Amino acid sequence: MENLKSGDHVALAKNFSWSDEQLFDYECPFKQEISKNNTLTCTICGRDDLKSLSPHLKRHHKLSGPKYLKQYDKKLLHVNLVNNFKIPKVMTDELARVLGYLSSEGTLSKNKRNIVFCNSNKNLLDDFAKCFNGLFGTSYKPFYTLNKFEANSQKIWSFLNWLGLEPVEAKEKRVPQIMNTAPKSCAIQFLKSYWEGDGSYNLIITGSPMMARDLKLLLLRIGIPTGLHVDYDTGGFSVGNPKYSIQFTGYICRNFFTRIQTPH
């Protein structure tokens, strides 16, 4: 599509083909760091400015990195138990919902460890927690007073990143590429959770032009043609930054809500 130029002819298919099942060819990047007792470890670096290695040290040992090394004569830090996490093998509706939520109001931290989903709606936080914990076999709970859900796992972070989620600014977000070949039901669940996390009644709003384009194409795949409106902020902290509104009204709007069923 990026190579198209004025005058080119484009054929639009009436029907799209969908994959029945998609096996993930994912290999844990920490394979060399898994010990015999299934504990994921990382080598402690001897840096002079090392103040604290991880929340694990503060929470369980009440020590900084250097003091932990001196007191326990450790060369390795236990990060988490590998058995605490399971990684999905195929794309499912539940995984698609998690990807949709994270694509809307979620982030992967740059330290390659934290997964965060923020929303002031308690029901959405509960639904995200249910889907997330069901997928990965965890038991994280939302922080209702902070309006967020947060998980700390390098392994899960790496898996989500491998699926196409990246720790980027909001204006650079886009739909994970794997959704373009996912089953139709998964595409619908992704759009539902994305809309619930980042939409209003007949609009889906994003600050990323790439996300707006990707969402329009994904909506078209399930039979929902949409319009696009670009609005520039005139006040606040984001003066001049464009907001992209994906609009669907009338019959198209009713069709959309029929597809995604009752929102949370």
Side-chain angles (χ1 to χ4, degrees):
M1 294 293 287
E2 289 130 336
N3 296 325
L4 287 178
K5 55 185 181 297
S6 178
D8 287 349
H9 290 80
V10 180
L12 298 177
K14 291 183 178 179
N15 298 304
F16 292 93
S17 60
W18 300 86
S19 303
D20 295 328
E21 192 173 79
Q22 192 173 41
L23 287 171
F24 296 147
D25 185 22
Y26 170 78
E27 183 174 329
C28 178
F30 309 108
K31 190 174 181 180
Q32 301 299 322
E33 297 172 318
I34 297 176
S35 61
K36 292 180 180 179
N37 64 349
N38 281 330
T39 299
L40 180 64
T41 61
C42 66
T43 302
I44 294 177
C45 301
R47 292 179 297 177
D48 295 334
D49 59 346
L50 185 64
K51 294 181 180 179
S52 180
L53 215 71
S54 76
H56 173 89
L57 287 177
K58 292 181 179 179
R59 188 180 303 118
H60 297 290
H61 297 285
K62 311 296 182 185
L63 296 169
S64 65
K67 288 183 179 179
Y68 177 84
L69 283 173
K70 184 177 180 180
Q71 183 168 332
Y72 292 95
D73 192 26
K74 295 286 186 179
K75 300 296 182 184
L76 294 172
L77 171 68
H78 297 299
V79 179
N80 52 46
L81 292 177
V82 175
N83 287 344
N84 286 349
F85 307 104
K86 60 180 182 179
I87 298 297
K89 300 298 183 185
V90 297
M91 175 59 70
T92 62
D93 290 356
E94 193 174 45
L95 177 54
R97 284 189 64 73
V98 168
L99 292 176
Y101 279 134
L102 288 173
S103 296
S104 63
E105 291 297 328
T107 58
L108 297 181
S109 61
K110 291 185 178 180
N111 67 3
K112 297 188 177 182
R113 186 175 293 123
N114 288 31
I115 300 107
V116 182
F117 172 68
C118 299
N119 204 286
S120 58
N121 188 320
K122 180 179 180 295
N123 290 333
L124 284 190
L125 287 177
D126 287 341
D127 187 57
F128 180 85
K130 178 182 177 181
C131 292
F132 188 94
N133 289 327
L135 273 174
F136 300 109
T138 54
S139 56
Y140 294 105
K141 295 181 180 179
F143 299 97
Y144 297 119
T145 55
L146 300 176
N147 295 327
K148 73 173 184 178
F149 172 99
E150 185 168 1
N152 182 283
S153 167
Q154 286 180 301
K155 187 179 179 183
I156 297 176
W157 187 102
S158 179
F159 173 68
L160 293 172
N161 182 250
W162 179 83
L163 289 182
L165 290 173
E166 297 181 75
V168 296
E169 296 180 10
K171 63 182 180 181
E172 297 175 351
K173 281 188 174 184
R174 62 184 312 169
V175 172
Q177 190 170 354
I178 199 167
M179 293 310 305
N180 295 325
T181 55
K184 186 175 182 179
S185 63
C186 295
I188 291 172
Q189 288 302 315
F190 176 91
L191 289 164
K192 177 180 180 180
S193 57
Y194 186 97
W195 175 83
E196 289 176 334
D198 214 12
S200 59
Y201 180 71
N202 62 344
L203 294 175
I204 298 178
I205 303 170
T206 176
S208 167
M210 294 181 293
M211 177 65 80
R213 184 192 65 182
D214 291 349
L215 287 170
K216 278 176 61 65
L217 289 173
L218 197 58
L219 282 161
L220 189 60
R221 289 191 74 201
I222 67 168
I224 308 293
T226 56
L228 180 65
H229 175 71
V230 183
D231 185 31
Y232 287 86
D233 292 341
T234 56
F237 294 102
S238 54
V239 176
N241 290 336
K243 292 292 183 183
Y244 301 86
S245 302
I246 299 172
Q247 304 169 327
F248 42 98
T249 57
Y251 164 76
I252 296 298
C253 189
R254 291 193 299 273
N255 190 15
F256 175 72
F257 285 106
T258 299
R259 298 288 184 91
I260 68 170
Q261 301 176 349
T262 305
H264 283 78

